[in-house]
Amino acid sequence: MDLENSEPPTWRIMAAFLIAPIIPAALYAALLAGPWGPTYLGALKMVAVFGAYPAAILFGVPAYLVLKRRVKPSFLSLCLVGGAVAATPWLLLAVLSNHDYATINNRVTVQNGHRTWFGWIETFKLVGQCFVLGTVGGAVFWMVAVSKWKPSS
């Protein structure tokens, strides 16, 4: 498949990489903010700076560069890639981190250096949340970069 002429303009790709990560970050910040948690803007800055933009730069840009000539940029493909880009860093951190002991809400997640069943459940809940939020980012990326754009013939 020749995708050489089917690439959106560079300005749209750059705008998509700037806009797409902030929308899921804003949604997740709304979940974090509350009477006992950080303020909404504090949570948004934390999620954007430490979660959304690093994942977009470290995983999203390489994924885009590898896939742009191999896969047609459809809504579904960009949502799936967005989910994978958002979930991958957290899955890697969970699998590669090494703690002796850890808890969440007074429940043991890591004991004697090994993740407990509860720890795995919490890990997959977090990775699943990141994947779902990443699909939202992928949808935003599609809206900014691809929708209403016609490839040159």
Side-chain angles (χ1 to χ4, degrees):
M1 175 190 314
D2 181 30
L3 297 175
E4 188 70 34
N5 294 327
S6 64
E7 190 175 324
T10 303
W11 71 267
R12 288 188 76 165
I13 301 299
M14 291 175 67
F17 273 112
L18 287 173
I19 297 168
I22 199 68
I23 303 302
L27 293 173
Y28 195 67
L31 293 174
L32 291 178
W36 297 282
T39 65
Y40 176 74
L41 289 178
L44 177 59
K45 284 190 271 187
M46 179 182 67
V47 172
V49 169
F50 295 110
Y53 284 104
I57 293 166
L58 295 174
F59 295 97
V61 171
Y64 174 76
L65 294 173
V66 167
L67 296 174
K68 73 179 182 176
R69 299 205 195 282
R70 292 179 174 84
V71 179
K72 184 177 179 184
S74 68
F75 181 79
L76 180 61
S77 68
L78 289 174
C79 285
L80 291 174
V81 170
V85 164
T88 298
W90 300 107
L91 182 61
L92 288 173
L93 277 173
V95 172
L96 298 177
S97 65
N98 189 12
H99 302 309
D100 288 334
Y101 183 79
T103 63
I104 294 176
N105 294 330
N106 294 325
R107 297 207 43 199
V108 177
T109 56
V110 178
Q111 189 166 17
N112 298 326
H114 299 287
R115 196 171 304 274
T116 64
W117 281 108
F118 181 71
W120 284 112
I121 290 168
E122 289 299 308
T123 296
F124 288 121
K125 279 174 35 181
L126 173 67
V127 170
Q129 287 175 341
C130 291
F131 185 87
V132 169
L133 289 166
T135 61
V136 172
V140 172
F141 192 94
W142 177 83
M143 285 188 268
V144 174
V146 179
S147 72
K148 296 188 181 191
W149 170 77
K150 303 292 182 212
S152 59
S153 322

